[in-house]
Amino acid sequence: MSSTAIKALPGENPVILGLNDVRMHFPVGSDWLGRPKAVAHALNGIDLEVRAGETLGVVGESGCGKSTLAQLLMGLIKPTSGALNWIYNNARERSSNVQIVFQDPQSSLDPRLPIWKVITEPLFVQRSAPRREMRDIAANVASQVGIRTEYMERFPHQFSGGQRQRIAIARALSSNPDIIVLDEPTSALDISVQAQILNLLAELQRSRDLTYILISHNVSVVRHMADRVAVMYLGQIVELGSAAEVLERPRHPYTQLLLEAVPRLGVPVDATQIAAPTELPGNRNLPTGCFFRDRCPKATVGCDRAQALLPVKNVEVESKVRCHLASIAG
Ligand SMILES: Nc1ncnc2c1ncn2[C@@H]1O[C@H](COP(=O)(O)OP(=O)(O)O)[C@@H](O)[C@H]1O
Ligand SMILES: [Mg+2]
């Protein structure tokens, strides 16, 4: 995991999902007339395309909107404004299928269900396979994640943390989703198990052409896994590009701070701890101009204007940055 093998960008792959100026604002509290007291501006204009077969890393401090983005992708919430446009090869209308692997397999697996039921839960929900086939489907997917097929009647507590995360991955796989969201998939696991799980995810991606959105605080995990990286700050993407560009030549002052804080070599480090000096401002009232300017060491004339996510100067591969000091428009 400490090796910095950055995958090539699958730039030719077709776009399967486009997000267009997506905003998500939550009313918070209510006054005596039942009107919201305030609004949490969780997402503030997300423009993004997801390509089939890629791993898109999403990084940013706690509270920047990563989980809200995941919930939107899963269809659990509807955006306040803007749109998610799914693009399918076949023109037939169908609903999108996004599954998720959570950080903590301890709490994300129903302890009362034998694991064949855990694994096929999405199929039950979608009614997308006959009940009598569920056990076989579960055993088949389990074998792909390294869980023995004889264990299908066992319960989640009978497995180790790493095995439980394999079961969570099997559950995410069982319904052949369009996208799998990996929300800090290894941060609750022992160091020794983390690399095994990451390698399993990488193998499955190769053999099954999976599309991953990898949410992580851990820059070394993202460096190891991601083809592209989106850096989020206060509900916006501030930098987007190939993992090589974003992690090796960060353009946005926020990305630079986030990465400077991470030692170049050695153990995975939680970027949030170190990025504490850049603590996220509240999102009840959004700042004017560049959202980052109050904390930006490079703030100068022009930062009081709102910043758009624009192509980067002198970079051939698609790279975008929300900073007039680094973008073409600057
Ligand atoms: N259901 C909700 N109601 C009110 N505020 C919310 C809700 N969900 C998220 N938020 C707010 O949106 C912001 C982004 O949260 P979240 O997406 O969980 O960030 P992250 O996953 O990056 O830590 C936070 O300010 C959070 O308090
Ligand atoms: Mg979160």
Side-chain angles (χ1 to χ4, degrees), residues 24-29 39-43 58-71 77 183 215 217 232 234-235 280-284:
M24 189 74 227
H25 299 164
F26 295 103
V28 186
V39 174
H41 297 80
L43 296 178
V58 177
V59 297
E61 289 158 273
S62 182
C64 72
K66 303 181 297 295
S67 296
T68 302
L69 181 62
Q71 287 177 293
I77 52 176
D183 194 350
I215 295 172
H217 288 125
M232 287 182 66
L234 207 56
L280 217 51
N283 62 11
R284 301 290 162 89

Short mmCIF file of all heavy atoms in Angstrom, two decimals, residues 24-29 39-43 58-71 77 183 215 217 232 234-235 280-284, ligand 1:
data_model
loop_
_atom_site.label_atom_id
_atom_site.label_comp_id
_atom_site.label_asym_id
_atom_site.label_seq_id
_atom_site.Cartn_x
_atom_site.Cartn_y
_atom_site.Cartn_z
N MET A 24 -27.41 20.68 -2.64
CA MET A 24 -28.20 20.01 -1.61
C MET A 24 -28.18 20.87 -0.36
O MET A 24 -27.13 21.05 0.26
CB MET A 24 -27.58 18.63 -1.32
CG MET A 24 -28.45 17.76 -0.44
SD MET A 24 -29.89 17.12 -1.33
CE MET A 24 -31.18 17.47 -0.16
N HIS A 25 -29.34 21.43 -0.04
CA HIS A 25 -29.45 22.30 1.12
C HIS A 25 -30.44 21.69 2.10
O HIS A 25 -31.56 21.35 1.72
CB HIS A 25 -29.91 23.70 0.69
CG HIS A 25 -28.96 24.36 -0.26
ND1 HIS A 25 -29.29 25.45 -1.03
CD2 HIS A 25 -27.66 24.07 -0.57
CE1 HIS A 25 -28.25 25.81 -1.77
NE2 HIS A 25 -27.26 24.99 -1.51
N PHE A 26 -30.01 21.53 3.35
CA PHE A 26 -30.89 20.94 4.37
C PHE A 26 -31.43 22.02 5.29
O PHE A 26 -30.64 22.79 5.86
CB PHE A 26 -30.11 19.95 5.24
CG PHE A 26 -29.60 18.74 4.50
CD1 PHE A 26 -28.25 18.64 4.14
CD2 PHE A 26 -30.45 17.70 4.17
CE1 PHE A 26 -27.78 17.52 3.48
CE2 PHE A 26 -29.98 16.57 3.50
CZ PHE A 26 -28.64 16.49 3.16
N PRO A 27 -32.75 22.09 5.47
CA PRO A 27 -33.28 22.99 6.50
C PRO A 27 -32.86 22.47 7.87
O PRO A 27 -32.86 21.26 8.10
CB PRO A 27 -34.80 22.90 6.31
CG PRO A 27 -35.06 21.73 5.46
CD PRO A 27 -33.79 21.30 4.80
N VAL A 28 -32.50 23.38 8.77
CA VAL A 28 -32.05 22.98 10.10
C VAL A 28 -32.92 23.68 11.15
O VAL A 28 -33.10 24.90 11.10
CB VAL A 28 -30.57 23.37 10.34
CG1 VAL A 28 -30.09 22.81 11.67
CG2 VAL A 28 -29.69 22.87 9.20
N GLY A 29 -33.44 22.92 12.08
CA GLY A 29 -34.25 23.47 13.17
C GLY A 29 -35.55 24.07 12.63
O GLY A 29 -35.81 24.04 11.43
N VAL A 39 -30.21 27.04 7.14
CA VAL A 39 -30.03 26.07 6.06
C VAL A 39 -28.57 25.61 6.07
O VAL A 39 -27.66 26.44 6.13
CB VAL A 39 -30.37 26.71 4.69
CG1 VAL A 39 -30.03 25.75 3.55
CG2 VAL A 39 -31.83 27.12 4.62
N ALA A 40 -28.39 24.29 6.05
CA ALA A 40 -27.03 23.75 5.89
C ALA A 40 -26.79 23.56 4.40
O ALA A 40 -27.50 22.80 3.74
CB ALA A 40 -26.90 22.42 6.63
N HIS A 41 -25.81 24.30 3.88
CA HIS A 41 -25.50 24.22 2.44
C HIS A 41 -24.48 23.10 2.23
O HIS A 41 -23.28 23.34 2.17
CB HIS A 41 -24.95 25.55 1.95
CG HIS A 41 -25.92 26.69 2.07
ND1 HIS A 41 -26.15 27.36 3.25
CD2 HIS A 41 -26.75 27.25 1.17
CE1 HIS A 41 -27.07 28.29 3.06
NE2 HIS A 41 -27.46 28.24 1.80
N ALA A 42 -24.99 21.87 2.13
CA ALA A 42 -24.09 20.71 2.10
C ALA A 42 -23.37 20.57 0.77
O ALA A 42 -22.19 20.25 0.72
CB ALA A 42 -24.87 19.44 2.42
N LEU A 43 -24.10 20.78 -0.33
CA LEU A 43 -23.47 20.74 -1.66
C LEU A 43 -23.84 22.02 -2.41
O LEU A 43 -25.01 22.41 -2.45
CB LEU A 43 -23.94 19.51 -2.45
CG LEU A 43 -23.55 18.14 -1.87
CD1 LEU A 43 -24.12 17.02 -2.73
CD2 LEU A 43 -22.03 17.99 -1.74
N VAL A 58 -12.66 10.61 -3.81
CA VAL A 58 -13.25 11.87 -3.32
C VAL A 58 -12.63 12.15 -1.95
O VAL A 58 -12.77 11.35 -1.02
CB VAL A 58 -14.78 11.77 -3.20
CG1 VAL A 58 -15.36 13.06 -2.63
CG2 VAL A 58 -15.42 11.47 -4.57
N VAL A 59 -11.91 13.25 -1.87
CA VAL A 59 -11.25 13.59 -0.60
C VAL A 59 -11.67 14.97 -0.13
O VAL A 59 -12.09 15.82 -0.92
CB VAL A 59 -9.70 13.55 -0.72
CG1 VAL A 59 -9.22 12.15 -1.06
CG2 VAL A 59 -9.19 14.54 -1.75
N GLY A 60 -11.55 15.19 1.15
CA GLY A 60 -11.91 16.48 1.74
C GLY A 60 -12.24 16.26 3.20
O GLY A 60 -12.56 15.15 3.62
N GLU A 61 -12.16 17.36 3.97
CA GLU A 61 -12.37 17.25 5.41
C GLU A 61 -13.78 16.81 5.77
O GLU A 61 -14.71 16.98 4.99
CB GLU A 61 -12.14 18.62 6.06
CG GLU A 61 -10.73 19.07 6.08
CD GLU A 61 -10.69 20.58 6.20
OE1 GLU A 61 -10.74 21.27 5.18
OE2 GLU A 61 -10.63 21.06 7.35
N SER A 62 -13.90 16.34 6.98
CA SER A 62 -15.20 16.01 7.54
C SER A 62 -16.14 17.22 7.41
O SER A 62 -15.75 18.34 7.72
CB SER A 62 -14.99 15.63 9.01
OG SER A 62 -16.21 15.27 9.56
N GLY A 63 -17.34 16.98 6.89
CA GLY A 63 -18.32 18.06 6.76
C GLY A 63 -18.32 18.72 5.39
O GLY A 63 -19.14 19.60 5.13
N CYS A 64 -17.44 18.30 4.49
CA CYS A 64 -17.36 18.97 3.18
C CYS A 64 -18.44 18.47 2.21
O CYS A 64 -18.61 19.02 1.13
CB CYS A 64 -15.98 18.83 2.57
SG CYS A 64 -15.60 17.17 1.98
N GLY A 65 -19.16 17.40 2.59
CA GLY A 65 -20.29 16.97 1.75
C GLY A 65 -20.14 15.61 1.10
O GLY A 65 -20.97 15.23 0.27
N LYS A 66 -19.15 14.83 1.50
CA LYS A 66 -18.89 13.54 0.84
C LYS A 66 -20.06 12.57 1.02
O LYS A 66 -20.51 11.95 0.05
CB LYS A 66 -17.60 12.92 1.40
CG LYS A 66 -16.37 13.81 1.25
CD LYS A 66 -15.11 13.14 1.78
CE LYS A 66 -15.13 12.83 3.27
NZ LYS A 66 -15.17 14.02 4.14
N SER A 67 -20.55 12.44 2.24
CA SER A 67 -21.64 11.48 2.48
C SER A 67 -22.94 11.95 1.84
O SER A 67 -23.74 11.13 1.38
CB SER A 67 -21.85 11.27 3.98
OG SER A 67 -20.71 10.68 4.54
N THR A 68 -23.14 13.26 1.80
CA THR A 68 -24.32 13.79 1.12
C THR A 68 -24.27 13.42 -0.36
O THR A 68 -25.26 12.99 -0.95
CB THR A 68 -24.40 15.32 1.30
OG1 THR A 68 -24.41 15.61 2.70
CG2 THR A 68 -25.63 15.90 0.64
N LEU A 69 -23.10 13.55 -0.94
CA LEU A 69 -22.92 13.16 -2.34
C LEU A 69 -23.24 11.67 -2.52
O LEU A 69 -23.94 11.27 -3.45
CB LEU A 69 -21.48 13.47 -2.77
CG LEU A 69 -21.10 13.14 -4.21
CD1 LEU A 69 -21.93 13.96 -5.19
CD2 LEU A 69 -19.60 13.42 -4.44
N ALA A 70 -22.76 10.83 -1.59
CA ALA A 70 -23.02 9.39 -1.67
C ALA A 70 -24.53 9.11 -1.59
O ALA A 70 -25.05 8.31 -2.36
CB ALA A 70 -22.29 8.66 -0.55
N GLN A 71 -25.22 9.79 -0.69
CA GLN A 71 -26.66 9.57 -0.55
C GLN A 71 -27.43 9.98 -1.80
O GLN A 71 -28.40 9.33 -2.19
CB GLN A 71 -27.20 10.37 0.64
CG GLN A 71 -26.81 9.80 1.99
CD GLN A 71 -27.32 10.69 3.10
OE1 GLN A 71 -26.87 11.82 3.26
NE2 GLN A 71 -28.28 10.20 3.85
N ILE A 77 -31.71 10.60 -1.36
CA ILE A 77 -32.21 11.97 -1.27
C ILE A 77 -32.24 12.58 -2.67
O ILE A 77 -31.51 12.12 -3.56
CB ILE A 77 -31.35 12.86 -0.32
CG1 ILE A 77 -29.87 12.78 -0.69
CG2 ILE A 77 -31.54 12.45 1.14
CD1 ILE A 77 -28.97 13.70 0.13
N ASP A 183 -17.16 3.99 1.09
CA ASP A 183 -17.06 5.11 2.03
C ASP A 183 -16.08 4.73 3.14
O ASP A 183 -16.44 4.03 4.07
CB ASP A 183 -18.46 5.42 2.60
CG ASP A 183 -18.51 6.77 3.31
OD1 ASP A 183 -17.43 7.37 3.53
OD2 ASP A 183 -19.61 7.22 3.65
N ILE A 215 -14.52 7.23 -1.28
CA ILE A 215 -14.47 8.35 -0.35
C ILE A 215 -13.43 8.02 0.70
O ILE A 215 -13.52 6.97 1.34
CB ILE A 215 -15.85 8.56 0.30
CG1 ILE A 215 -16.87 8.97 -0.75
CG2 ILE A 215 -15.75 9.57 1.44
CD1 ILE A 215 -18.30 9.01 -0.23
N HIS A 217 -10.43 9.81 3.67
CA HIS A 217 -9.53 10.83 4.23
C HIS A 217 -8.09 10.47 3.96
O HIS A 217 -7.20 11.29 4.13
CB HIS A 217 -9.66 10.85 5.76
CG HIS A 217 -10.93 11.42 6.24
ND1 HIS A 217 -11.78 10.75 7.09
CD2 HIS A 217 -11.51 12.60 6.00
CE1 HIS A 217 -12.82 11.50 7.34
NE2 HIS A 217 -12.68 12.63 6.68
N MET A 232 -12.86 18.04 -2.42
CA MET A 232 -14.04 18.84 -2.05
C MET A 232 -13.73 19.79 -0.91
O MET A 232 -12.99 19.46 0.02
CB MET A 232 -15.19 17.92 -1.64
CG MET A 232 -15.82 17.21 -2.83
SD MET A 232 -17.22 16.19 -2.33
CE MET A 232 -18.39 17.43 -1.78
N LEU A 234 -16.19 22.62 1.32
CA LEU A 234 -17.46 23.32 1.56
C LEU A 234 -18.50 23.06 0.45
O LEU A 234 -19.11 23.98 -0.08
CB LEU A 234 -17.20 24.83 1.70
CG LEU A 234 -18.17 25.65 2.54
CD1 LEU A 234 -18.27 25.09 3.96
CD2 LEU A 234 -17.75 27.11 2.61
N GLY A 235 -18.67 21.79 0.13
CA GLY A 235 -19.73 21.42 -0.80
C GLY A 235 -19.46 21.72 -2.26
O GLY A 235 -20.37 21.72 -3.08
N LEU A 280 -13.00 23.67 8.37
CA LEU A 280 -14.05 24.12 7.47
C LEU A 280 -14.90 25.21 8.11
O LEU A 280 -15.36 25.05 9.23
CB LEU A 280 -14.93 22.90 7.18
CG LEU A 280 -15.51 22.69 5.81
CD1 LEU A 280 -14.46 22.79 4.74
CD2 LEU A 280 -16.19 21.33 5.77
N PRO A 281 -15.15 26.30 7.39
CA PRO A 281 -16.07 27.30 7.94
C PRO A 281 -17.48 26.73 7.94
O PRO A 281 -17.77 25.76 7.25
CB PRO A 281 -15.95 28.46 6.95
CG PRO A 281 -15.40 27.91 5.71
CD PRO A 281 -14.64 26.66 6.08
N GLY A 282 -18.37 27.31 8.74
CA GLY A 282 -19.75 26.82 8.78
C GLY A 282 -20.40 26.94 7.41
O GLY A 282 -19.98 27.75 6.59
N ASN A 283 -21.43 26.12 7.18
CA ASN A 283 -22.09 26.18 5.87
C ASN A 283 -23.50 26.75 5.98
O ASN A 283 -24.30 26.59 5.08
CB ASN A 283 -22.08 24.81 5.20
CG ASN A 283 -22.84 23.76 6.00
OD1 ASN A 283 -23.55 24.10 6.94
ND2 ASN A 283 -22.71 22.51 5.62
N ARG A 284 -23.82 27.39 7.11
CA ARG A 284 -25.16 27.99 7.23
C ARG A 284 -25.26 29.23 6.35
O ARG A 284 -26.25 29.45 5.67
CB ARG A 284 -25.44 28.38 8.70
CG ARG A 284 -25.38 27.21 9.67
CD ARG A 284 -26.54 26.26 9.47
NE ARG A 284 -26.30 24.94 10.06
CZ ARG A 284 -26.60 24.61 11.31
NH1 ARG A 284 -27.15 25.49 12.12
NH2 ARG A 284 -26.35 23.40 11.76
N1 LIG B 1 -29.87 15.35 6.93
C1 LIG B 1 -29.17 16.46 7.20
N2 LIG B 1 -29.74 17.50 7.84
C2 LIG B 1 -29.05 18.64 8.09
N3 LIG B 1 -27.76 18.82 7.75
C3 LIG B 1 -27.14 17.82 7.12
C4 LIG B 1 -27.80 16.59 6.81
N4 LIG B 1 -26.90 15.77 6.17
C5 LIG B 1 -25.77 16.47 6.10
N5 LIG B 1 -25.89 17.68 6.66
C6 LIG B 1 -24.86 18.73 6.74
O1 LIG B 1 -24.23 18.80 5.50
C7 LIG B 1 -22.83 19.03 5.64
C8 LIG B 1 -22.06 17.95 4.93
O2 LIG B 1 -22.18 16.73 5.65
P1 LIG B 1 -21.63 15.33 5.10
O3 LIG B 1 -22.09 15.14 3.71
O4 LIG B 1 -21.99 14.29 6.09
O5 LIG B 1 -20.06 15.59 5.09
P2 LIG B 1 -18.83 14.54 5.10
O6 LIG B 1 -19.37 13.19 4.75
O7 LIG B 1 -17.87 15.08 4.09
O8 LIG B 1 -18.25 14.58 6.47
C9 LIG B 1 -22.58 19.10 7.15
O9 LIG B 1 -22.63 20.46 7.53
C10 LIG B 1 -23.76 18.36 7.72
O10 LIG B 1 -24.05 18.81 8.99
#
